Amino acid sequence: MKDFTVENLTEEVVKAYTSKTDSPRMKQVFSSLITHLHGFVKDVELTEAEWFAAIQFLTATGKKCDDKRQEFILLSDTLGASMLVDSINHPKGGAGTESTVLGPFYVPGAPEMPFGGDVRRRHLDAANPCLVTGKVCDAEGKPLAGATLDIWQTAANALYDVQDSDAPEWNLRGQFTTNERGEYALVTEQPVSYSVPTDGPVGDMLAAAGRHAFRPAHLHFLVSADGHETLTTHVFVKGDEYLDSDAVFATKETLVGDFKVCDDAERGKQFGLTVPFVTLAFDFGLMAS
Ligand code: BEZ
Ligand code: FE
């Protein structure tokens, strides 16, 4: 029988998790995970009270999750882990549009909408109507017909539909398909900056660290096309006060879009909008898979 000690425990645990599997990836991941976890505990000389507080925190995080609320994604996002995974898997420098985090508010299965369709399923007085247009191209700049853009965003009251019992189902969500020239068009509201949910353990963590909980205004996009990698991204609103301090570290310079006021009545009429309205023109590039 062996005595487990501070000196030998990490090595013994790594061995227990890696010696009986043939998977090289499992060996690598468990070895690193256990070494870093034990390293952290040793580094800060974690007290029993702190360890128990951490267990309670993770338990509360799990209890806060349901089909509309994903506190674990929020935890990963606010600790910068989601952005690290994103950055490692989608390094800078490619020809395609840069990616960013998915976030906890994506809901699959949004209604399919026609070219120029309107995702405002109610009209809030504070909302600025917004026309979003652009193209989806491959890495060589060739337009992609039949690409899908699944979009979602908060309303002018700074809430996603799934956070707001007064919002109609699928408010500010929809799936659009590019036409034969690779173009898309949709009508929505100009996005506003908003706070990530703070009524759970993640909110307590942000408060304890003295961090604000705001995200700069953005519109979410999941862009997909046959033979191409699906792009998870946002377009941020130029000039937003939180662009330099996003609560989830997910901003990228190339994803900032210029939302401009438009007075072109003819253009508005094409999409059922009266002037003035806001426009965003933004093209996406997808990498071949
Ligand atoms: C979002 O943009 O929807 C989001 C991303 C990360 C955390 C919370 C919200
Ligand atoms: Fe968002």
Side-chain angles (χ1 to χ4, degrees):
M1 204 192 103
K2 198 170 234 162
D3 261 10
F4 294 112
T5 63
V6 171
E7 285 69 39
N8 70 15
L9 192 57
T10 304
E11 194 185 329
E12 291 297 329
V13 177
V14 167
K15 222 188 290 167
Y17 278 90
T18 58
S19 60
K20 293 190 179 67
T21 173
D22 291 332
S23 161
R25 182 62 173 162
M26 177 143 169
K27 282 182 199 288
Q28 182 190 18
V29 170
F30 269 83
S31 171
S32 177
L33 175 66
I34 293 160
T35 305
H36 282 91
L37 177 62
H38 284 217
F40 158 70
V41 172
K42 289 189 228 175
D43 187 32
V44 302
E45 296 187 31
L46 203 67
T47 67
E48 285 170 314
E50 287 165 342
W51 171 82
F52 190 60
I55 299 286
Q56 283 181 311
F57 176 82
L58 292 174
T59 305
T61 301
K63 284 187 177 164
K64 200 74 191 167
C65 295
D66 58 28
D67 57 343
K68 294 211 166 131
R69 176 79 179 257
Q70 234 307 348
E71 194 78 354
F72 271 114
I73 295 186
L74 191 58
L75 178 59
S76 165
D77 294 338
T78 48
L79 287 174
S82 306
M83 205 49 200
L84 197 53
V85 173
D86 171 77
S87 305
I88 288 167
N89 286 276
H90 306 281
K92 266 188 183 293
T97 301
E98 289 195 284
S99 56
T100 189
V101 298
L102 178 70
F105 294 116
Y106 174 62
V107 183
E112 287 175 20
M113 308 284 294
F115 186 88
D118 192 336
V119 295
R120 298 171 302 164
R121 302 178 207 281
R122 78 169 163 197
H123 291 257
L124 294 177
D125 287 344
N128 292 323
C130 178
L131 171 65
V132 184
T133 58
K135 270 193 291 194
V136 179
C137 296
D138 67 13
E140 281 77 50
K142 190 169 135 277
L144 289 170
T148 302
L149 301 101
D150 197 345
I151 72 108
W152 69 105
Q153 66 167 90
T154 43
N157 62 3
L159 294 172
Y160 282 92
D161 56 352
V162 292
Q163 299 174 290
D164 179 358
S165 53
D166 293 333
E169 205 183 4
W170 301 115
N171 191 45
L172 304 181
R173 296 177 191 267
Q175 296 192 65
F176 294 82
T177 306
T178 54
N179 65 16
E180 61 287 350
R181 291 183 296 281
E183 297 161 342
Y184 73 92
L186 63 101
V187 173
T188 184
E189 295 174 7
Q190 179 171 6
V192 298
S193 48
Y194 64 89
S195 166
V196 302
T198 55
D199 61 341
V202 172
D204 298 342
M205 179 183 76
L206 292 173
R211 293 193 62 210
H212 77 67
F214 283 86
R215 297 219 60 209
H218 57 271
L219 178 50
H220 289 261
F221 287 87
L222 255 187
V223 189
S224 54
D226 286 346
H228 293 80
E229 280 182 23
T230 296
L231 169 71
T232 304
T233 197
H234 308 355
V235 179
F236 294 95
V237 178
K238 187 170 148 183
D240 189 283
E241 65 176 302
Y242 297 108
L243 277 174
D244 281 335
S245 63
D246 184 1
V248 303
F249 310 99
T251 46
K252 288 181 178 174
E253 196 85 49
T254 60
L255 299 180
V256 177
D258 203 358
F259 288 71
K260 296 180 178 149
V261 176
C262 178
D263 285 317
D264 183 342
E266 272 311 300
R267 180 138 174 83
K269 217 156 90 187
Q270 277 180 286
F271 296 95
L273 292 170
T274 50
V275 290
F277 57 94
V278 173
T279 56
L280 168 71
F282 203 91
D283 295 341
F284 295 93
L286 298 187
M287 305 294 283
S289 52

